[in-house]
Amino acid sequence: MLPLFFAERPDDVRPREALDAARAFLRGEMTIEAVREKAFASHAAAREAGDPGALAAARVCGQAAAVAHMAGHARQVPRYTAKAFPGDRSRRDEELAWQRMNVPDRFDRYVYDGD
């Protein structure tokens, strides 16, 4: 998803920092408050994006980082992924397949099928 964002805003690192923060949190290297700040910053980057794909990509990154403090945010990732590829169903399906391959099996139904 990051390439969609960087295509419009190559110098804005906030979505990448949000993902990096989530990984750092998993390793015990960052507090939840710090991760939340990075997630909020990624959403701010989304608000500044003009392209719908870039906006959705930044939202995906923000939601992915926000999962660290609230699992329910994971359910927004597929929604924003779909918004990032409104006219390219093949690319959307490819991205969703990649995501599903990288989500632990125990969370797959929660993220992609849960209500």
Side-chain angles (χ1 to χ4, degrees):
M1 300 295 294
L2 282 173
L4 286 175
F5 183 77
F6 288 138
E8 179 183 328
R9 302 181 59 87
D11 297 325
D12 190 342
V13 297
R14 292 176 290 180
R16 179 184 302 280
E17 287 177 344
L19 295 178
D20 291 344
R23 290 183 190 105
F25 178 78
L26 288 172
R27 294 188 303 267
E29 300 169 359
M30 188 173 263
T31 66
I32 192 63
E33 292 81 15
V35 175
R36 287 182 72 204
E37 287 178 20
K38 297 295 185 181
F40 292 146
S42 189
H43 287 293
R47 288 189 297 276
E48 295 170 15
D51 176 72
L55 181 153
R59 292 268 186 226
V60 166
C61 294
Q63 292 298 118
V67 169
H69 79 95
M70 182 182 209
H73 289 299
R75 291 185 171 166
Q76 299 303 317
V77 171
R79 181 175 141 228
Y80 286 117
T81 298
K83 286 185 173 195
F85 303 102
D88 191 345
R89 181 168 260 201
S90 175
R91 179 68 182 101
R92 180 204 66 202
D93 291 348
E94 179 183 322
E95 175 63 27
L96 287 169
W98 181 90
Q99 290 174 11
R100 286 188 97 150
M101 287 178 13
N102 288 279
V103 168
D105 289 339
R106 66 186 184 276
F107 298 126
D108 184 85
R109 284 197 56 195
Y110 179 76
V111 175
Y112 295 98
D113 300 327
D115 286 323

